[in-house]
């Protein structure tokens, strides 16, 4: 079964939309709000909303640590400070703006990803052999979604005719 079919099977109507971070349009306050409103372990970083081009992946824990360290060492980093995940962020903020915060160092620029045409058997085997917690699903470099370990375990349970909700997740 192609991953796109698998991904469609697990996109339930009550699932929250995919939470992504853009390379250069978030503020410290936006990131803090995202962290407060979600419990995701990480977030895809995309170039922009229009293209949905994948630029990397950043862990929740790393975002929390980087922002708290930045606030502790630089009193000028405030909620309105722009956050950049770009390789070469602007050197100086626009006039009247607080200093920007560069978090490019915490981005995994080559996260494990699969295409939407990859057979599901291969995806399951990747999770088994590599011990993955998630993989990003792309089509021609454009982010489509995320498949998590929990999704793969549910898929395996469904194949074994078990109730997917009865599986214990660690």
């Amino acid at each position: 079964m192609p991953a796109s079919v698998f991904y469609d099977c697990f996109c339930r109507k009550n699932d929250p939309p995919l939470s992504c971070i853009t390379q250069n349009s978030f503020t410290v306050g936006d990131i803090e709000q995202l962290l407060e409103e979600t419990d995701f372990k990480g977030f895809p970083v995309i170039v922009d909303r229009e293209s949905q081009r994948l630029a990397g992946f950043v862990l929740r824990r790393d975002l929390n640590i980087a922002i708290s360290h930045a606030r502790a060492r630089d009193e000028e980093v405030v909620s309105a400070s722009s956050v950049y995940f770009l390789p070469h962020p602007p050197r100086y903020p626009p006039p009247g703006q607080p200093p920007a915060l560069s978090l490019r160092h915490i981005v995994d620029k080559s996260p494990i990803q699969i295409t939407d045409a990859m057979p599901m058997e291969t995806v399951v085997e990747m999770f088994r052999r590599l011990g993955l917690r998630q993989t990003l699903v792309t089509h021609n470099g454009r982010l489509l979604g995320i498949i998590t370990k929990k999704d793969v375990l549910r898929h395996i349970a469904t194949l074994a005719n078990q109730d997917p909700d009865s599986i214990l997740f660690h």
Side-chain angles (χ1 to χ4, degrees):
M1 175 185 325
S4 59
V5 175
F6 173 75
Y7 181 71
D8 291 341
C9 291
F10 285 98
C11 282
R12 295 171 290 279
K13 290 181 181 168
N14 58 352
D15 278 354
L18 186 61
S19 294
C20 297
I21 296 173
T22 56
Q23 280 186 333
N24 64 351
S25 65
F26 271 62
T27 63
V28 169
D30 294 333
I31 301 271
E32 290 172 329
Q33 182 177 358
L34 181 66
L35 294 173
E36 185 178 308
E37 293 176 354
T38 67
D39 60 353
F40 301 128
K41 304 275 188 257
F43 304 91
V45 177
I46 55 176
V47 173
D48 56 49
R49 296 268 178 214
E50 294 77 38
S51 73
Q52 292 286 305
R53 298 296 258 175
L54 184 63
F57 190 80
V58 64
L59 294 173
R60 167 187 216 88
R61 155 184 57 97
D62 294 341
L63 283 170
N64 274 320
I65 291 169
I67 289 174
S68 56
H69 283 187
R71 284 188 183 249
R73 76 174 177 269
D74 186 354
E75 295 171 3
E76 294 181 5
V77 172
V78 294
S79 292
S81 296
S82 295
V83 177
Y84 291 98
F85 296 93
L86 301 167
H88 304 289
R91 202 168 225 178
Y92 303 104
Q97 294 289 325
L101 176 60
S102 174
L103 295 181
R104 68 177 187 199
H105 62 284
I106 65 169
V107 177
D108 176 357
K109 292 172 194 70
S110 48
I112 295 180
Q113 55 186 298
I114 60 170
T115 67
D116 58 341
M118 184 173 282
M120 197 55 225
E121 297 79 28
T122 306
V123 174
V124 170
E125 198 59 30
M126 284 177 63
F127 271 81
R128 279 190 181 135
R129 290 183 184 227
L130 300 175
L132 301 179
R133 301 203 46 81
Q134 77 276 325
T135 186
L136 302 171
V137 181
T138 60
H139 178 77
N140 293 333
R142 186 172 192 266
L143 180 67
L144 297 178
I146 298 176
I147 296 176
T148 65
K149 180 179 178 180
K150 194 179 280 191
D151 293 328
V152 171
L153 291 173
R154 280 191 183 117
H155 174 71
I156 292 169
T158 302
L159 292 177
N161 292 325
Q162 293 178 350
D163 176 15
D165 293 328
S166 69
I167 304 235
L168 297 175
F169 299 104
H170 303 288

